[in-house]
Each structure stands twice: as C-alpha cells, then as structure tokens.
C-alpha cells in the first residue's frame, strides 16, 4: 500500500525533532494516532490535513505526494 502521507508526515516530524508524542500534543492528537498515520493504518480527515499542513507550513498537495517539498 502506498503511504506517501505517512512518509511525509514522518519526514516533517523528524526534521523538527519531534517525537510522535510531542507532535500529538502540539496538534491535539495522541501519539498512537500519529503512529497509525505514519504506518498507513489510518488516514486523517480533511480538516486534520489542513491542520497538519498549516502547522508545518506545507501544502496539502505536498503531504499527499502531489508536489515536492
């Protein structure tokens, strides 16, 4: 299964030096949710994608693998 979103989220998270727990605290989700997203077990809804893209200052297209970083 293609998990571009999860890979990009992990890239951004590690670039900022955040643990899954810390990122979860900062954007309002538990670390298990972050883990599920990164592993491709679950995907965020549209409102959450907007929240994540705004938090990291990237486009939703980047998060979904439609454009380069």
């Amino acid at each position: 299964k293609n998990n571009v979103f999860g890979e990009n989220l992990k890239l951004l998270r590690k670039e900022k030096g955040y643990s899954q727990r810390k990122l979860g605290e900062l954007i309002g989700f538990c670390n298990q949710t972050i883990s599920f997203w990164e592993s491709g077990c679950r995907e965020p809804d549209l409102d959450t994608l907007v929240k994540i893209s705004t938090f990291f200052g990237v486009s939703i297209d980047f998060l979904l693998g439609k454009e380069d970083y």
Side-chain angles (χ1 to χ4, degrees):
K1 180 180 170 185
N2 186 357
N3 183 28
V4 174
F5 167 75
E7 293 169 8
N8 286 338
L9 179 62
K10 187 173 185 177
L11 172 84
L12 292 168
R13 177 177 63 78
K14 289 189 169 214
E15 193 174 80
K16 297 286 187 186
Y18 298 142
S19 64
Q20 289 178 341
R21 181 175 305 281
K22 181 64 176 174
L23 177 59
E25 289 172 4
L26 291 169
I27 63 172
F29 294 90
C30 70
N31 62 303
Q32 188 174 31
T33 300
I34 306 297
S35 176
F36 283 151
W37 291 339
E38 289 185 359
S39 66
C41 294
R42 294 192 184 150
E43 295 177 346
D45 62 22
L46 183 57
D47 289 340
T48 303
L49 278 174
V50 170
K51 189 174 196 175
I52 293 168
S53 70
T54 301
F55 178 81
F56 283 111
V58 298
S59 68
I60 291 174
D61 281 346
F62 167 75
L63 287 173
L64 299 179
K66 304 295 182 194
E67 71 180 32
D68 293 336
Y69 182 38

